[in-house]
Amino acid sequence: MKVTEKDIKVSKPEKIMYPGDEYTKADIVTYYEKIFDFIFPFVRNRLLMLQRFPDGIKSSGFYQKELPDYFPGWIDRATVKKKEGGDITQVICNSSETMVYLANQACITFHTWLSRADKPDFPDKVILDLDPPGKNFNMIRKTLPHIREFLEKDKLNVFLMTTGSKGLHLVMPVLPENNFDKVKAAADKLAERLENTCGDQFTTRQYKNKREGRIYLDSKRNSYGQTAVAPYSLRAAKGAPVATPVNWDESLQKDFNARKYHIKNIFRRLSQVRDPWEDYFNEDLARKNTEILFNHQLESPLI
């Protein structure tokens, strides 16, 4: 099996990557080749952490940050400072050939930095991760009207994404003007304010034994070097679920869940549903969010 203009040869295309679903490496490579135009805007010029499963998802797999020596020279990369000191060189996926090559390396899930490689210290998004206890996504679905009302009071432009795993991401584009320390402080305060509005449903406590069955509002990924799953990335779970941008209205449907969209139905969705994130890259929205989050225009200032 050969794909793309660089004539990449897919090794062991028949290898089963999703036992039970019987999706092969060829299926994974084909998926990423087809989805590239949709995922590209969200990975372009961003450092990647690759989640690889050489023996399929029944194995533990591993996370890879540093670019291996054997990756071809035509793959984009950038070297940045590590938080703990020293430098690290990581992959940037700026072409369909790169994405196919990485899929052939058994990369199932793409995790991106919250900043772009040319401004690594200045994120252009703020993320809150809603993580329910166990697999109880219904808890999230039932609280979404409250969350939406809370965010609309502050006039924030927030985009929803199923993670393809257990929860939901609230994503707020901002201008890359504030460093990670300021962004994390804003995200922490936003999570704390949301917790205070409905403390019996939400918690900002990191340790599971302190959450008491509540939805965890995770703001920790808004830190230098942390990552978030890329929109339209596959996840290593039964059914090959896909992290999928969604709109607020569909989030109220009774069948709405973190794994509603998967490798078999995602392209039908893309052909039938208007892009819920069509305004995501609107600079005016990012500017407005930046003003609200960092210039004390909230009902209760964040920082």
Side-chain angles (χ1 to χ4, degrees), residues 92-134:
I92 297 175
C93 182
N94 279 343
S95 69
S96 59
E97 289 85 0
T98 298
M99 182 150 283
V100 166
Y101 179 88
L102 296 174
N104 185 44
Q105 296 296 312
C107 179
I108 285 181
T109 305
F110 293 83
H111 303 266
T112 72
W113 277 43
L114 275 63
S115 57
R116 295 192 182 274
D118 58 339
K119 297 188 73 173
D121 298 302
F122 298 90
D124 61 2
K125 65 179 77 173
V126 178
I127 296 179
L128 288 185
D129 182 3
L130 306 182
D131 184 9

Side-chain angles (χ1 to χ4, degrees), residues 33-159:
E33 188 178 27
K34 290 176 63 177
I35 204 69
F36 179 75
D37 287 345
F38 295 93
I39 195 174
F40 175 60
F42 303 104
V43 300
R44 181 172 63 89
N45 292 336
R46 292 187 191 274
L47 299 166
L48 295 180
M49 179 173 70
L50 311 175
Q51 192 174 3
R52 297 173 60 184
F53 294 84
D55 298 314
I57 68 167
K58 291 300 182 182
S59 67
S60 58
F62 63 96
Y63 292 93
Q64 183 166 34
K65 291 185 177 181
E66 191 151 16
L67 181 141
D69 291 339
Y70 64 85
F71 274 24
W74 50 263
I75 288 180
D76 288 345
R77 73 281 312 270
T79 300
V80 294
K81 297 293 184 182
K82 293 193 289 186
K83 190 171 185 178
E84 61 273 19
D87 297 331
I88 187 170
T89 300
Q90 293 183 231
V91 171
I92 297 175
C93 182
N94 279 343
S95 69
S96 59
E97 289 85 0
T98 298
M99 182 150 283
V100 166
Y101 179 88
L102 296 174
N104 185 44
Q105 296 296 312
C107 179
I108 285 181
T109 305
F110 293 83
H111 303 266
T112 72
W113 277 43
L114 275 63
S115 57
R116 295 192 182 274
D118 58 339
K119 297 188 73 173
D121 298 302
F122 298 90
D124 61 2
K125 65 179 77 173
V126 178
I127 296 179
L128 288 185
D129 182 3
L130 306 182
D131 184 9
K135 297 180 181 179
N136 190 0
F137 189 85
N138 278 337
M139 284 189 66
I140 290 179
R141 184 174 58 81
K142 291 176 181 179
T143 62
L144 284 175
H146 174 77
I147 294 172
R148 184 178 188 179
E149 181 182 6
F150 168 82
L151 295 169
E152 286 181 346
K153 283 183 179 179
D154 290 325
K155 300 181 181 178
L156 287 165
N157 297 283
V158 182
F159 296 82

Side-chain angles (χ1 to χ4, degrees), residues 198-252:
C198 202
D200 61 331
Q201 296 291 326
F202 305 121
T203 181
T204 57
R205 296 192 176 190
Q206 183 175 1
Y207 297 104
K208 290 184 179 181
N209 61 353
K210 301 290 186 181
R211 297 180 191 172
E212 300 176 333
R214 292 171 290 178
I215 297 167
Y216 175 42
L217 301 171
D218 183 4
S219 57
K220 303 297 184 291
R221 67 184 66 249
N222 297 281
S223 300
Y224 182 86
Q226 295 297 306
T227 61
V229 63
Y232 301 110
S233 180
L234 289 169
R235 302 308 301 267
K238 181 176 174 57
V242 174
T244 307
V246 294
N247 61 52
W248 284 97
D249 289 339
E250 67 184 305
S251 73
L252 303 178

Side-chain angles (χ1 to χ4, degrees), residues 147-159 172-174 190 193 248 284-293 297-300 302:
I147 294 172
R148 184 178 188 179
E149 181 182 6
F150 168 82
L151 295 169
E152 286 181 346
K153 283 183 179 179
D154 290 325
K155 300 181 181 178
L156 287 165
N157 297 283
V158 182
F159 296 82
M172 291 154 274
V174 294
L190 186 61
R193 287 180 60 236
W248 284 97
D284 289 336
L285 294 187
R287 182 176 293 106
K288 183 178 179 182
N289 280 348
T290 303
E291 287 293 318
I292 293 169
L293 286 169
Q297 293 190 15
L298 292 160
E299 288 187 341
S300 300
L302 290 179

